Amino acid sequence: MVKRKDATPTERLIVQPDEGVEPVREAIAAARTSLWVKQFTLTEPSLLREIVRAHERGVSVQVMLNPHRSSGDRANDESFARLQRAGVAVAWTNPSFAVTHEKSIVVDSKRAVVATFNLAEKYFTETRDYGIVTDDALHVHEIERCFEADWRREHFEPDDASGLAWSAANSRALMAEFIDTARHRLDVQHPKYVDATILDRLAEAQDRGVHVRILCGGKHGISAWDIPDTFSSLRILKRFGAKVRRQKHPKLHAKLIVVDGGQALVGSMNIDRSAFDLRRELGVFVSDDRGVERLAEVFEHDWHHAEHWEAPDPLAVDSHESGELPHDPDFKHE
């Protein structure tokens, strides 16, 4: 993975729930020629209205929505029907993937939004999440290439040097390579730890003297089949010397890795075999000094407000609810 600092390109960071829906609404409202939206969940009313308005003022709008979660739940049916009634070109995402978990917006072929948050009210009001607004031409062009390929149900081959990480293509390898570059500090803010390759890279970083800090969300929002691996992974990392804390407020939905305070990876993919191998996911490497500095500041804030936590024995089911937030049926880590 090439560190790209050459650039006149700019990156603007969105932090949730601090900034709410307005930055996304503004991005959509700015569209003048084209608007391409690919989302795991799109239900926020004001954003749906803004997309329809773009279509009504003559913008070429295309929307792809994920049809169902891995559980079979269908969150986007009403939004799909509403956009269709308004005359917006809307399609379900590429069936080649079990789930499309990507969260991207491209405006006028000049600017893209890549996010960890879904376009649903909860993620603008309750959860720690991030978005990157980029005008880097390589980023924008590659996101458009993937959109076109998924719209046409064609194969997409990403460029490993583009500054983007894609599933199911290169995301595991690029994330592992990114972790391997850490020399002093590695801050990880992720809800799930269900991939042996990434677990190995995190443990190896700690073993070579990197100070590894893990912010997790505990059990909250994790499916029953992901709890054993997540708890076991966190217990293993702690044995290697990594520091682990549980974040409860705001709820942790972000997917963030910061290396040596100088570069970050923000994206939709959880540290999860399915996210790397079976789903359409998108992440962006952030090298803009101000953006990385702000991400590091937010991580530091969340770290200091999180609690020291010992992941329970995965087999000791009676201990799993200790200190956990109440169950929220609408908060699930895909």
Side-chain angles (χ1 to χ4, degrees):
M1 195 278 300
V2 177
K3 186 171 183 177
R4 304 181 62 245
K5 271 189 169 285
D6 44 294
T8 48
T10 59
E11 296 168 341
R12 182 243 199 263
L13 174 65
I14 301 170
V15 178
Q16 301 296 3
D18 305 32
E19 298 184 57
V21 73
E22 193 57 31
V24 182
R25 188 160 54 231
E26 288 176 355
I28 295 171
R32 293 295 174 265
T33 58
S34 63
L35 177 65
W36 291 3
V37 179
K38 192 195 299 183
Q39 294 291 325
F40 178 65
T41 307
L42 169 56
T43 56
E44 206 284 328
S46 70
L47 298 182
L48 284 164
R49 286 195 298 270
E50 207 62 65
I51 291 169
V52 172
R53 287 191 191 113
H55 167 71
E56 291 172 344
R57 65 175 178 268
V59 175
S60 175
V61 180
Q62 292 176 259
V63 178
M64 271 191 286
L65 299 178
N66 181 67
H68 55 77
R69 300 175 182 273
S70 55
S71 65
D73 294 347
R74 300 182 64 90
N76 289 319
D77 283 352
E78 290 185 16
S79 299
F80 190 100
R82 178 177 177 181
L83 293 171
Q84 200 170 48
R85 287 194 303 270
V88 174
V90 57
W92 297 118
T93 49
N94 191 341
S96 297
F97 303 98
V99 164
T100 289
H101 198 230
E102 177 184 345
K103 305 125 179 11
S104 69
I105 302 170
V106 181
V107 178
D108 295 342
S109 294
K110 295 178 180 178
R111 187 173 299 107
V113 181
V114 179
T116 70
F117 51 81
N118 295 298
L119 302 187
E121 184 176 1
K122 181 182 295 290
Y123 302 90
F124 298 115
T125 57
E126 296 181 24
T127 67
R128 174 65 77 221
D129 269 300
Y130 305 107
I132 301 295
V133 184
T134 175
D135 63 8
D136 185 316
L138 285 179
H139 292 164
V140 174
H141 176 64
E142 184 150 293
I143 296 168
E144 285 190 315
R145 281 204 305 116
C146 183
F147 189 100
E148 288 179 323
D150 283 351
W151 186 271
R152 297 171 182 168
R153 308 317 198 220
E154 296 173 351
H155 176 70
F156 165 70
E157 190 64 39
D159 177 358
D160 288 354
S162 69
L164 299 174
W166 293 96
S167 298
N170 60 12
S171 58
R172 179 189 283 110
L174 291 183
M175 184 183 290
E177 179 184 339
F178 185 57
I179 292 167
D180 289 348
T181 66
R183 293 296 173 263
H184 308 291
R185 191 169 78 249
L186 188 59
D187 293 333
V188 184
Q189 190 174 29
H190 267 257
K192 291 169 68 173
Y193 297 83
V194 191
D195 185 77
T197 300
I198 300 303
L199 170 64
D200 175 52
R201 287 317 210 275
L202 293 172
E204 198 278 331
Q206 180 66 41
D207 194 50
R208 68 173 179 267
V210 176
H211 181 42
V212 178
R213 297 189 297 178
I214 305 288
L215 266 178
C216 69
K219 174 178 176 286
H220 194 60
I222 296 180
S223 65
W225 51 86
D226 286 330
I227 287 172
D229 281 343
T230 291
F231 284 4
S232 293
S233 294
L234 293 172
R235 288 160 66 91
I236 290 167
L237 288 169
K238 193 155 189 178
R239 289 191 197 103
F240 270 84
K243 301 294 187 284
V244 178
R245 293 189 182 182
R246 177 170 60 180
Q247 177 175 340
K248 294 165 72 173
H249 303 290
K251 292 181 179 181
L252 195 161
H253 184 258
K255 292 88 177 161
L256 168 69
I257 302 175
V258 183
V259 167
D260 293 335
Q263 197 173 18
L265 172 58
V266 171
S268 67
M269 64 278 293
N270 286 295
I271 297 173
D272 181 339
R273 293 182 300 274
S274 295
F276 294 131
D277 297 330
L278 301 178
R279 301 171 185 162
R280 172 66 82 210
E281 307 267 8
L282 171 60
V284 57
F285 292 95
V286 184
S287 54
D288 174 78
D289 291 339
R290 289 171 299 176
V292 177
E293 183 179 358
R294 176 66 177 137
L295 285 165
E297 287 174 356
V298 176
F299 181 94
E300 203 67 39
H301 171 275
D302 291 347
W303 179 260
H304 285 294
H305 286 80
E307 60 187 5
H308 294 277
W309 187 62
E310 299 278 349
D313 181 339
L315 300 180
V317 178
D318 290 347
S319 67
H320 290 185
E321 294 297 334
S322 177
E324 288 289 337
L325 291 168
H327 175 64
D328 179 350
D330 296 321
F331 186 70
K332 301 175 182 177
H333 299 295
E334 186 62 40

